[in-house]
Amino acid sequence: MEAQTIKNSNSTTKTTERISGSEAIVKCLIEEGADIIYGYPGGAIMPVYDELYKYQGKIHHVLTRHEQGATHSAQGYARISGKVGVAIATSGPGATNLITGIADAQIDSTPMVCITGQVPSHLLGSDAFQETDIVGISTPVTKWNCQVTKASQIPEAIAKAFYIAKSGRPGPVLVDITKDAQFEEFDFSYEKCTGVRSYNPVPKTEIASVEAAAKLINEAKKPLVVWGQGVILSEAEEQLKAVIEKAGIPAAWTILGASAIPTSHPLNVGMVGMHGNYAPNILTNECDTLIAIGMRFDDRVTGSLDTYAKQAKVIHFEIDPAEVDKNVKTDVAVLGDAKASLEALLPMINKNTHTEWRQKFTDLYNIEYEKVIKNDLYPTKEGITMAEVLKEINIQSKGEAAIVSDVGQHQMIACRYAEFNKSKSNITSGGLGTMGFGLPAAIGAKMAAPEREVVSISGDGGYQMTIQELGTIFQQRAAVKVVVLNNDFLGMVRQWQQLFFDKRYASTEMTNPNFVAIAEGYYIKAKKVTKREELAEAVKEMMESKEAYFLEVCVEKEDNVFPMIPSGASVSDIRLE
C-alpha cells in the first residue's frame, strides 16, 4: 500500500493510502480507541477478520461463544470504562443474534457500535444465503444505523457511528457493510466526526430554568432527589454530592444510578421502585419537591402514574428532551448535561439541613430493617438467603468490587444489599431486563478494568441462557468471579405466581445440571455451598483467587424479595411482607 498526499477543497492537506475496505474498518476502530472488541466470525465478515489477524497487538478481538454474548460483553466494557463498546458479527443469524443486546443497550443508554457483514451488494434483496435486512430489523432499537455498499463510505460511516453512540444520551449504533465493500480498495483517510447536521446531542441549558429550579428547592420543606444513570454518564457524581450536601436533601436512586454516591453516605436513602427501599418509596408521595436528575420515570420506579408524587413540585434535570413530560408532568425542566446543570445550580441553592424531614427516612428505614433487612441478612431459618451471600461479598471486597448482575430476584437483592464505594460499580440490565446479561457483561467489565474485582451474580435460570460464555472466560483468562444463587426456580416469576396466581408454579421449577462440573469442564476452579457455615470461607477463597472462580450457593427455594410494589399499584402501596 502506498501513501499519497492530496489537498482538499479548502486547501488543507490530507494523507491517504490505498487499502481495502476491510482494512479500513480495522484502522477506523483503532483511530477511535477501540482496543478490545467482541465478536464471532462468519462468511460475510471474514475479510475483516483477516485484517484483525494482521493487526494483532494493536486491537484485541475476543471470540465470544455467541453473538449475544458479544453485545453484552461490549456493554459491560462500556458501562465500567465510559468508552464505546464494540461488537462485530457476520450477516444473517450472526446479525440477528446481536439484537437482544442492542435493544438492551438502547433502553439503558449504553454507547455501543455494532458492525455486521452483509452479502455482496448485487445480492441484496435476493434472499441470498444468510441475508437479512438487519438495518430494517435494528431500526427500532438503535440510536442510528446505516448500510455501506462502497468502500469509500466506510470511514465516514464509522466516524459518525462512534460520535452518535457516545454523544448526548448514549446508545447503540449499527453499521452494516456488504462483503464487496470490504474487498474493494480505495484511497483511505480518517477524520473523526465532531457533529452531524440537525443532530443536537446536548441541548443548551437555559439559566432561567436553573434559577427556577433553585427557587423551588430553596422554598421546599420536604425535598427529595431521585437520581439515575444520567449522573454517571455525565460524570456528575461530585456535583450531585455537593448539591445534596449543601441543601441537606435526602437522595434516592434508580437501579442504573446505583453507586454514583457511596452506599454509606448519610444522605443516600436507598433505592426507589418496585423492590426499592420503604422510605424513599413511601415519602415520594409525601415530599413537596421532587428533583429528578438523569432518570426517565420508568414504570418500575413510578408505579401507578395516577398517584405518583401528585402533591409535589417536580423538577427534571434531563439531557433528552423526549423524556421531559413523557410520563410525569414537570413544573421545571432543566435541559442539558447533568454535570453542567448541577454546577450552575450549586451556587444558587441555600444551605439547609432538613433535619425533621430526614428523620422520617430514618424512622421508615428502621421499620424496614426490623421487618425485612434483618431477616435477609441475619436469618434464623436453616436455609441460606441471597442477601447473606451479598453480605459476605461486601466483607471480602470492602465495597470496592464491581457487581454485574443478571435479571431476577438475585438482581434486586444485589442492588439492595451490595455496598458501593466507587461509581460505575453496579452493572445490570435495567430497562429490558435481559436474562443472560450478567456473565458476558462481567467479562467485558473485567477486561476493561482488570485492576478491579468483578463479581457476576446470576440466578440458575439466567445463568444458563449464556452459560457458554464460560468458554470465553477460559480462553481469555479473565479473572471473573462467577456466583450463581441457585434456588431451582425462575425465582422472580415464581414469586409472582405465589403472590398473585395462588401458588400455581407453572413452568418455573428447574431441574438443574451439575454446575460445578460444567465450570470445571472449562478448567475454572469451582465450589458448591449448601450450608451456612461453609459460606464465609468459600466467598473468601473466591475473592482471594487470582484467576476465574465459580461459586454455586444453594439458597432458600421459596424466599421472596421484599419490599414490593405490586405491578400497577401506587408507590404508597409498597408491601413489607
Side-chain angles (χ1 to χ4, degrees):
M1 64 188 74
E2 183 176 339
Q4 61 176 320
T5 301
I6 61 173
K7 288 188 176 181
N8 60 21
S9 58
N10 59 6
S11 299
T12 58
T13 301
K14 183 165 58 174
T15 300
T16 67
E17 56 181 328
R18 191 80 177 174
I19 61 174
S20 68
S22 55
E23 185 174 5
I25 292 167
V26 177
K27 282 181 170 287
C28 291
L29 292 173
I30 293 170
E31 288 284 343
E32 291 291 346
D35 53 342
I36 302 174
I37 65 175
Y38 301 86
Y40 205 96
I45 199 69
M46 207 174 296
V48 174
Y49 274 84
D50 189 52
E51 294 299 331
L52 286 169
Y53 182 84
K54 299 173 188 176
Y55 278 85
Q56 294 177 76
K58 292 188 177 181
I59 189 167
H60 179 51
H61 176 270
V62 177
L63 174 64
T64 58
R65 296 307 187 259
H66 190 282
E67 291 89 353
Q68 181 182 345
T71 54
H72 293 329
S73 291
Q75 288 176 273
Y77 173 96
R79 293 272 288 275
I80 204 167
S81 69
K83 296 170 65 177
V84 177
V86 179
I88 184 169
T90 193
S91 63
T96 58
N97 282 343
L98 299 177
I99 291 297
T100 296
I102 292 171
D104 193 285
Q106 173 79 338
I107 201 164
D108 282 354
S109 303
T110 303
M112 181 168 67
V113 168
C114 294
I115 295 173
T116 53
Q118 184 55 275
V119 300
S121 55
H122 72 278
L123 291 177
L124 289 173
S126 70
D127 293 331
F129 177 68
Q130 291 193 334
E131 180 194 2
T132 57
D133 178 12
I134 194 62
V135 171
I137 292 168
S138 66
T139 294
V141 292
T142 49
K143 191 175 176 184
W144 178 73
N145 65 14
C146 70
Q147 186 173 80
V148 171
T149 59
K150 298 287 185 183
S152 59
Q153 301 167 344
I154 288 171
E156 182 180 358
I158 293 180
K160 189 175 178 181
F162 273 85
Y163 173 73
I164 292 174
K166 188 71 170 70
S167 58
R169 180 180 180 178
V173 169
L174 183 138
V175 181
D176 188 47
I177 305 174
T178 60
K179 194 169 184 179
D180 53 324
Q182 297 172 46
F183 279 121
E184 183 184 7
E185 290 192 348
F186 74 112
D187 294 324
F188 170 80
S189 66
Y190 194 70
E191 185 176 343
K192 288 191 178 184
C193 181
T194 57
V196 176
R197 189 177 66 181
S198 77
Y199 169 53
N200 180 27
V202 184
K204 182 181 178 182
T205 301
E206 299 292 340
I207 198 66
S209 63
V210 181
E211 290 171 345
K215 183 175 185 294
L216 287 181
I217 292 169
N218 291 335
E219 292 173 351
K221 302 300 182 187
K222 297 188 289 185
L224 172 62
V225 163
V226 177
W227 86 81
Q229 189 186 202
V231 170
I232 295 171
L233 293 172
S234 66
E235 299 181 339
E237 294 93 340
E238 290 304 315
Q239 288 73 18
L240 172 62
K241 186 179 173 186
V243 165
I244 65 171
E245 287 179 346
K246 182 177 181 181
I249 304 175
W253 38 273
T254 69
I255 63 169
L256 293 185
S259 81
I261 291 177
T263 307
S264 59
H265 194 286
L267 289 167
N268 184 337
V269 296
M271 181 170 73
V272 292
M274 180 171 282
H275 291 287
N277 292 101
Y278 192 54
N281 275 305
I282 288 287
L283 295 176
T284 292
N285 279 359
E286 293 185 26
C287 69
D288 60 11
T289 305
L290 181 62
I291 306 140
I293 305 172
M295 55 86 77
R296 58 187 181 87
F297 292 110
D298 173 72
D299 64 294
R300 285 296 173 99
V301 166
T302 65
S304 170
L305 288 171
D306 292 338
T307 58
Y308 183 77
K310 293 299 182 183
Q311 79 294 337
K313 298 288 187 183
V314 178
I315 303 167
H316 196 177
F317 289 83
E318 177 57 50
I319 197 169
D320 185 354
E323 294 295 346
V324 175
D325 293 333
K326 185 175 83 174
N327 294 324
V328 173
K329 178 67 178 174
T330 58
D331 294 276
V332 175
V334 182
L335 290 174
D337 177 75
K339 184 174 184 177
S341 297
L342 292 176
E343 284 177 345
L345 176 71
L346 184 60
M348 298 182 188
I349 57 175
N350 299 334
K351 192 166 181 60
N352 210 327
T353 57
H354 294 292
T355 305
E356 292 183 11
W357 171 236
R358 287 167 57 187
Q359 185 60 42
K360 287 194 172 187
F361 287 86
T362 302
D363 293 343
L364 290 175
Y365 170 81
N366 290 336
I367 293 172
E368 182 183 351
Y369 182 85
E370 289 298 321
K371 287 186 173 290
V372 178
I373 297 172
K374 183 170 69 173
N375 297 325
D376 282 348
L377 294 176
Y378 307 100
T380 55
K381 56 191 173 185
E382 182 178 342
I384 301 170
T385 67
M386 294 185 183
E388 286 182 276
V389 183
L390 268 296
K391 180 181 69 176
E392 293 299 334
I393 292 171
N394 291 336
I395 291 169
Q396 295 299 324
S397 69
K398 298 179 174 59
E400 300 293 321
I403 304 296
V404 186
S405 57
D406 215 281
V407 171
Q409 287 181 314
H410 64 278
Q411 175 192 34
M412 295 297 101
I413 291 293
C415 290
R416 283 178 53 80
Y417 292 110
E419 293 177 2
F420 299 119
N421 292 333
K422 291 183 178 180
S423 187
K424 298 176 183 173
S425 290
N426 183 51
I427 299 170
T428 192
S429 172
L432 196 64
T434 304
M435 293 176 68
F437 173 90
L439 185 63
I443 296 170
K446 183 62 178 178
M447 296 186 75
E451 75 287 353
R452 296 196 63 182
E453 283 289 1
V454 175
V455 183
S456 166
I457 308 284
S458 294
D460 46 308
Y463 176 63
Q464 293 182 82
M465 289 193 170
T466 51
I467 194 172
Q468 69 276 357
E469 299 308 330
L470 290 174
T472 308
I473 290 176
F474 168 58
Q475 184 167 351
Q476 297 298 319
R477 299 291 189 267
V480 177
K481 309 302 166 60
V482 181
V483 179
V484 168
L485 304 179
N486 182 7
N487 57 12
D488 293 313
F489 268 110
L490 299 177
M492 186 61 83
V493 183
R494 186 214 55 77
Q495 177 170 335
W496 281 54
Q497 289 172 334
Q498 177 185 337
L499 298 176
F500 307 116
F501 293 87
D502 298 324
K503 295 189 177 182
R504 292 188 295 276
Y505 297 154
S507 301
T508 47
E509 189 163 10
M510 303 195 75
T511 302
N512 285 315
N514 185 334
F515 288 126
V516 168
I518 292 171
E520 289 177 341
Y522 285 101
Y523 304 98
I524 296 170
K525 189 170 183 180
K527 181 168 285 189
K528 180 176 182 176
V529 170
T530 59
K531 298 177 181 178
R532 179 170 289 113
E533 55 266 28
E534 303 169 338
L535 180 62
E537 185 58 34
V539 172
K540 183 174 186 289
E541 181 179 316
M542 176 184 73
M543 296 303 289
E544 289 180 350
S545 174
K546 302 299 182 185
E547 300 176 343
Y549 194 107
F550 172 83
L551 179 64
E552 176 187 2
V553 183
C554 296
V555 296
E556 280 281 335
K557 289 191 69 168
E558 295 187 72
D559 263 0
N560 291 328
V561 182
F562 287 104
M564 179 182 183
I565 302 169
S567 181
S570 167
V571 292
S572 300
D573 296 328
I574 187 168
R575 297 170 52 172
L576 291 171
E577 55 190 10

